[in-house]
Amino acid sequence: MACAAGAAAILWGRGEMDMNPAARTTVQMGTSYQNPMTLPQEWEDYGIGDPYVLRHDGQYYLYCSTKDGRIGVKAWSSANLTDWTYEGLVAEEPVTEGAYAPEVVYWNGSFYMYTSPAGKGHYVLRSEKPTGPFLAQTDNLGLTIDGSVFIDDDGSWTFTHAEFGGIMAAPMSDPYTIGPGEKLGASLGHWTEGSMIIKRGGKYYMTYTGNHVFSRGYRVNYAVSDESPAGPYRIPDNNPILISTEEGFNGLGHSSTVLGPDLDSYYIFYHNLEGKSAEGPPVRHLNMDRLAFSGDKMGVLGPTWGIPTEAPRLPIFHDRPGSAPSPGKWEQAAMPASGGHAWVSKLSTDTRYTAEFNAVVQPDGKEIEAGGEAALEVLLSYRDERNSRVLRVDGRQKKLVMAEQAGGAEKTVFSADLPQGTELNVLHALRAESDGDGTRIYWDGLLLADVKAWTGQPGKIGYRWPQGSQPQLAYTAFSNEAGGSSDRSAVKPVPGTLEAAHASGNPSSPIKAGAAGTPDGSLAAELGGNGELAFPVQVKKDGRYRIAVMAELGSEGAVLEVEASGRKLKAELDAALFASESDWTKVPLGELELKGGLQWLTVKQTSSGVSRLRYIELLESAEVDGSAQAELEKQELFGSWEQSEAGSRIAEAGRDSKLLAGDVRWGDYELDFRLQADGEDAGEAAVLLRTSRESDYPAQVADSFIGYQLLFRSGRIILEKIVYERKEELDSALLELRPGQPSNVSVKLEGSRIRVFREDGEPLLDVLDPDAILQGRIGFRSSSRDWILSGLEVRPVRHE
């Protein structure tokens, strides 16, 4: 890999960065929307819960759970994912009473709906249209709730559903028959539901939801498999990808994922909870945010709430040509001497593009005779009748043939069998993604071919068919994006995480393909002197923001400059900030005052040498003040507490209770406190550090928060990192607490480093967390009333 010395911006992994900083324009969003969304005719006093979105023939169809005690499944349609039209009740069978989480898949002319009415097993309903009527086809198939169907590239079907201890998966022999299942190792530590699988870049991405559906900590995780929809799955460290416990916007979950209108982006739909309905449970609201991929890593540009958000972009070209394409968008092209019809778009694609063609190839259902011509050809990279690429549907052999026409001569490049049982008298979709890595061809969303020799070539798209054939042409479109390239131009929300792979590059050093070499399979950028990463961002509001970078060991000494809102922050990647036992460390750079609104944010290396970055984290910060002690002296939502002369004591025994204080925007601070156990059998207690996203509900994961806890148990002090169901012990030491005698402890949190001292100043723990949680408030938890916390003092860090 060669580059100009001293001015590098190199991305390790698939893709190129091609935006010239000199040509950078003002960041604009165009059309926007705002979460949560309100749709016409939502279920009264219930809203939209468990949303599922189907994309078919360029249109989107939204289905949601039915309110308990009501019959029927409601649906809405949209062309752009933001403007929705109510389609009425698309199913009214008696088995749809309280229909939970209906999902619809299209296969070979039929639409199959899977739903679990009132959580009592599953039924399959079928229709010939996405708007119904859907009619029941099976008896109760059992298998708990939240069934979801995934169809793989080889045509095999997999059914996933909810279960204690993790999502279950089972093979299907047909749309109505489900085999024995097995657990996938994807669990949120409690009841786990709302699963869905998509396949992208040869990887299987499964999203799933957990905690109690009415808890604030209801959230979405994802897992990745390299092998099959049945796993094995690995759980990336950036989980959960959707969570909020804020008042008025919490309980985010039960998501579905769908390809965006531009044919390249992906969007995740989910609901949030608010208040209480007249019948008791919270009302649910619909939300949508953009997904973004960096190598194997999947993340959400959000959750966004209460601010304008960039709406999904439409393709550059889109139309429904029908039997007589519009002369405004299409032009006739020359046909071979044998005659027939040929139409091509007036617009041409760039070198990189994704094009989609929807058509009924043989409406009459007649088979092609041996030696007969293809019923339909799709044209790509069309320059003239002698030079183009052709996707030929062989109706007799049920094959898709890929051919190159150059100078009038044709050469077959590849051929692939159509999925078994394919009928050509129903609608099918062909999609082609073309870029510097080749061209991927999909049939009804299934990857049929990955033709490396067909690197991207510009040209028109079109159709060609022989005399006597009468295909029905439907939605046809293209955009000049492929393989997730649109993720780079998408507006990123701040606060949030900016992936290096989603930045614009330096024109003197375009970003090339290479090996990832990162623990989570994400992409990383390498910056040399004056190398720059630029991001279009929307800062939620005016304020001070804490900035950190995930940097590779070996980047020490590099000087980075972050610029936004006309202000700059310059910081050196000090060797003392790196964890020596880890290849990558989250390194704090400092804080920067930002103005709310759309703008560019740049990260530039101003020193010699190189730095390697995976992402940039921006979090809203706040000054540490003396409010924590006053807060701890009040009863809190999380548990029942009483005061004594000695301090705060849990008044409710036998239940894990939490007392929280301070500001989730606090970053670095020092903490002094006295802790006392009144009896020999006091059990354990913990002081919480940098905690956020706390949830409290009777039926949920025990550790329902994100942060650190300093645990006191059986003569030991243990520092643990907790992200709901994931708990990691970072370090421990001996510390004997004598019954009835308070012990003084001090804690210092500075960047990625956490130090704990005993009352004589001797260090107990010294931990540098390479993937540190950099902010959050303080708290205290225990399941016993025999613990007393007193003498609490929180203050800003006194730098040495």
Side-chain angles (χ1 to χ4, degrees):
M1 186 181 301
C3 65
I10 301 171
L11 182 69
W12 298 85
R14 172 184 280 186
E16 298 179 354
M17 290 185 180
D18 50 14
M19 186 177 291
N20 187 335
R24 217 173 276 147
T25 58
T26 303
V27 178
Q28 296 180 336
M29 285 201 308
T31 305
S32 65
Y33 71 100
Q34 188 165 305
N35 282 324
M37 297 183 281
T38 301
L39 273 53
Q41 300 296 315
E42 293 184 3
W43 286 106
E44 186 178 356
D45 197 38
Y46 179 85
I48 292 181
D50 312 324
Y52 178 84
V53 179
L54 167 74
R55 183 175 184 273
H56 177 74
D57 193 21
Q59 285 287 107
Y60 294 93
Y61 300 90
L62 168 68
Y63 310 88
C64 70
S65 284
T66 301
K67 186 174 182 178
D68 287 335
R70 279 56 167 188
I71 292 177
V73 175
K74 290 190 173 188
W76 294 259
S77 65
S78 174
N80 58 13
L81 291 178
T82 56
D83 300 307
W84 294 91
T85 300
Y86 181 55
E87 295 289 350
L89 292 175
V90 298
E92 298 184 72
E93 296 275 71
V95 298
T96 63
E97 180 179 345
Y100 286 2
E103 295 198 4
V104 177
V105 296
Y106 174 77
W107 183 254
N108 213 23
S110 294
F111 297 86
Y112 299 94
M113 176 183 288
Y114 298 81
T115 185
S116 48
K120 299 174 182 177
H122 286 88
Y123 292 83
V124 185
L125 296 85
R126 179 186 170 278
S127 174
E128 295 182 356
K129 297 189 300 181
T131 53
F134 284 87
L135 303 178
Q137 304 293 307
T138 68
D139 292 328
N140 194 329
L141 301 177
L143 304 176
T144 68
I145 64 170
D146 293 356
S148 183
V149 170
F150 170 76
I151 306 175
D152 208 350
D153 296 334
D154 61 2
S156 63
W157 291 42
T158 299
F159 186 83
T160 60
H161 65 90
E163 189 56 86
F164 276 108
I167 297 298
M168 297 284 291
M172 302 177 68
S173 56
D174 59 58
Y176 308 120
T177 307
I178 303 169
E182 60 183 35
K183 279 196 171 67
L184 298 182
S187 170
L188 289 174
H190 199 268
W191 178 257
T192 306
E193 60 188 21
S195 59
M196 182 181 177
I197 298 173
I198 66 167
K199 191 174 186 180
R200 182 185 182 278
K203 311 287 184 181
Y204 301 86
Y205 294 85
M206 180 172 63
T207 50
Y208 50 101
T209 290
N211 242 33
H212 193 279
V213 66
F214 296 151
S215 72
R216 291 188 176 214
Y218 198 57
R219 64 201 184 281
V220 177
N221 271 27
Y222 80 105
V224 185
S225 173
D226 302 309
E227 298 181 17
S228 81
Y233 281 92
R234 60 183 186 276
I235 315 299
D237 288 338
N238 66 313
N239 278 303
I241 55 172
L242 276 174
I243 186 170
S244 172
T245 57
E246 294 187 48
E247 188 68 34
F249 190 72
N250 55 65
L252 314 187
H254 202 118
S255 68
S256 67
T257 300
V258 69
L259 183 70
D262 66 355
L263 312 176
D264 181 68
S265 58
Y266 283 86
Y267 286 85
I268 187 166
F269 281 77
Y270 58 97
H271 70 243
N272 75 281
L273 305 179
E274 184 182 24
K276 286 187 176 182
S277 65
E279 296 180 7
V283 173
R284 309 181 192 194
H285 299 298
L286 177 69
N287 297 267
M288 170 186 73
D289 278 309
R290 181 175 177 137
L291 288 170
F293 294 84
S294 172
D296 293 352
K297 182 180 180 181
M298 182 173 79
V300 177
L301 301 185
T304 60
W305 171 46
I307 61 170
T309 302
E310 183 180 32
R313 300 172 187 173
L314 295 176
I316 291 174
F317 174 89
H318 58 98
D319 191 34
R320 296 182 180 276
S323 58
S326 164
K329 292 191 174 184
W330 300 85
E331 60 188 16
Q332 287 188 304
M335 279 295 298
S338 58
H341 302 272
W343 293 86
V344 294
S345 60
K346 287 190 172 181
L347 288 180
S348 293
T349 71
D350 288 345
T351 302
R352 179 185 63 210
Y353 66 88
T354 300
E356 182 178 274
F357 309 82
N358 289 267
V360 181
V361 178
Q362 295 172 246
D364 58 11
K366 293 180 180 178
E367 288 195 12
I368 303 295
E369 296 180 3
E373 297 183 77
L376 182 66
E377 293 179 338
V378 165
L379 306 177
L380 304 171
S381 303
Y382 180 92
R383 297 183 294 284
D384 55 49
E385 66 272 17
R386 296 168 56 83
N387 298 277
S388 70
R389 289 170 175 171
V390 180
L391 305 179
R392 182 172 295 122
V393 181
D394 184 332
R396 189 175 64 84
Q397 298 189 58
K398 298 293 178 67
K399 287 182 176 292
L400 185 70
V401 179
M402 286 141 269
E404 184 93 30
Q405 293 179 338
E410 181 174 296
K411 177 184 177 181
T412 297
V413 176
F414 193 82
S415 68
D417 292 332
L418 297 178
Q420 187 174 4
T422 294
E423 300 292 341
L424 296 179
N425 61 342
V426 297
L427 190 76
H428 293 285
L430 260 174
R431 189 169 81 248
E433 297 176 351
S434 194
D435 54 23
D437 292 328
T439 299
R440 281 86 55 199
I441 307 296
Y442 299 84
W443 177 273
D444 288 341
L446 312 186
L447 180 65
L448 287 191
D450 188 350
V451 186
K452 301 296 185 184
W454 272 12
T455 54
Q457 287 185 3
K460 300 177 180 181
I461 67 169
Y463 294 95
R464 189 164 59 197
W465 63 93
Q467 196 72 36
S469 181
Q470 294 181 326
Q472 294 176 358
L473 309 183
Y475 184 78
T476 308
F478 73 76
S479 68
N480 290 322
E481 306 285 359
S485 61
S486 63
D487 286 347
R488 294 198 288 275
S489 59
V491 176
K492 286 80 176 173
V494 172
T497 298
L498 310 178
E499 295 290 330
H502 300 158
S504 307
N506 189 313
S508 65
S509 179
I511 291 173
K512 302 292 185 182
T518 59
D520 59 359
S522 64
L523 305 183
E526 181 177 285
L527 294 176
N530 295 318
E532 181 183 271
L533 303 174
F535 304 88
V537 301
Q538 183 182 32
V539 179
K540 186 170 184 177
K541 61 182 179 180
D542 294 357
R544 195 160 185 82
Y545 290 81
R546 184 171 294 107
I547 302 173
V549 296
M550 180 60 79
E552 188 179 26
L553 193 65
S555 302
E556 301 94 322
V559 178
L560 300 180
E561 181 181 87
V562 181
E563 181 176 4
S565 298
R567 296 175 173 85
K568 295 181 181 180
L569 165 67
K570 184 175 284 189
E572 179 182 348
L573 298 181
D574 193 326
L577 303 176
F578 285 81
S580 58
E581 73 280 1
S582 177
D583 291 336
W584 294 85
T585 298
K586 188 187 294 184
V587 179
L589 300 183
E591 296 185 354
L592 192 62
E593 199 77 31
L594 299 179
K595 291 289 186 182
L598 294 166
Q599 56 196 283
W600 286 98
L601 184 145
T602 61
V603 179
K604 185 176 182 179
Q605 182 168 319
T606 60
S607 63
S608 58
V610 297
S611 61
R612 298 178 182 87
L613 310 178
R614 279 163 51 198
Y615 61 80
I616 299 93
E617 181 180 84
L618 295 100
L619 303 171
E620 189 182 0
S621 67
E623 293 293 332
V624 176
D625 57 33
S627 64
Q629 177 61 44
E631 287 188 61
L632 285 173
E633 292 174 354
K634 299 184 297 182
Q635 262 197 355
E636 290 286 324
L637 171 67
F638 297 93
S640 177
W641 296 77
E642 65 179 20
Q643 297 300 308
S644 69
E645 291 184 3
S648 302
R649 180 199 298 267
I650 296 177
E652 182 182 348
R655 177 169 177 255
D656 182 38
S657 299
K658 304 183 189 75
L659 179 66
L660 299 162
D663 194 317
V664 294
R665 299 173 299 169
W666 284 359
D668 294 353
Y669 50 83
E670 296 181 0
L671 178 69
D672 296 332
F673 60 89
R674 289 191 298 273
L675 190 62
Q676 175 181 328
D678 268 2
E680 293 282 355
D681 300 320
E684 62 183 37
V687 172
L688 306 181
L689 308 167
R690 285 184 178 165
T691 66
S692 64
R693 301 175 180 88
E694 303 93 354
S695 176
D696 189 64
Y697 199 83
Q700 64 172 12
V701 176
D703 298 312
S704 289
F705 63 92
I706 295 175
Y708 299 99
Q709 73 172 6
L710 198 57
L711 184 65
F712 299 85
R713 180 179 64 199
S714 303
R716 298 190 67 81
I717 181 172
I718 305 166
L719 180 63
E720 295 180 330
K721 181 179 180 180
I722 293 175
V723 183
Y724 275 73
E725 77 282 357
R726 293 178 7 236
K727 182 186 292 186
E728 177 185 4
E729 181 176 319
L730 301 181
D731 201 1
S732 67
L734 293 173
L735 180 65
E736 190 69 37
L737 297 181
R738 297 179 180 178
Q741 296 185 17
S743 293
N744 295 298
V745 179
S746 298
V747 183
K748 187 173 185 178
L749 301 102
E750 189 172 14
S752 299
R753 190 178 184 187
I754 303 174
R755 286 178 284 177
V756 182
F757 306 88
R758 72 169 106 228
E759 55 189 319
D760 58 7
E762 286 296 311
L764 283 167
L765 304 174
D766 190 345
V767 173
L768 202 162
D769 183 1
D771 188 16
I773 299 166
L774 292 179
Q775 65 180 38
R777 53 184 173 170
I778 64 170
F780 180 47
R781 70 184 296 206
S782 179
S783 57
S784 167
R785 68 184 311 272
D786 291 333
W787 290 93
I788 299 174
L789 178 72
S790 62
L792 177 72
E793 181 184 351
V794 185
R795 58 184 175 273
V797 167
R798 295 170 293 196
H799 295 283
E800 299 172 355

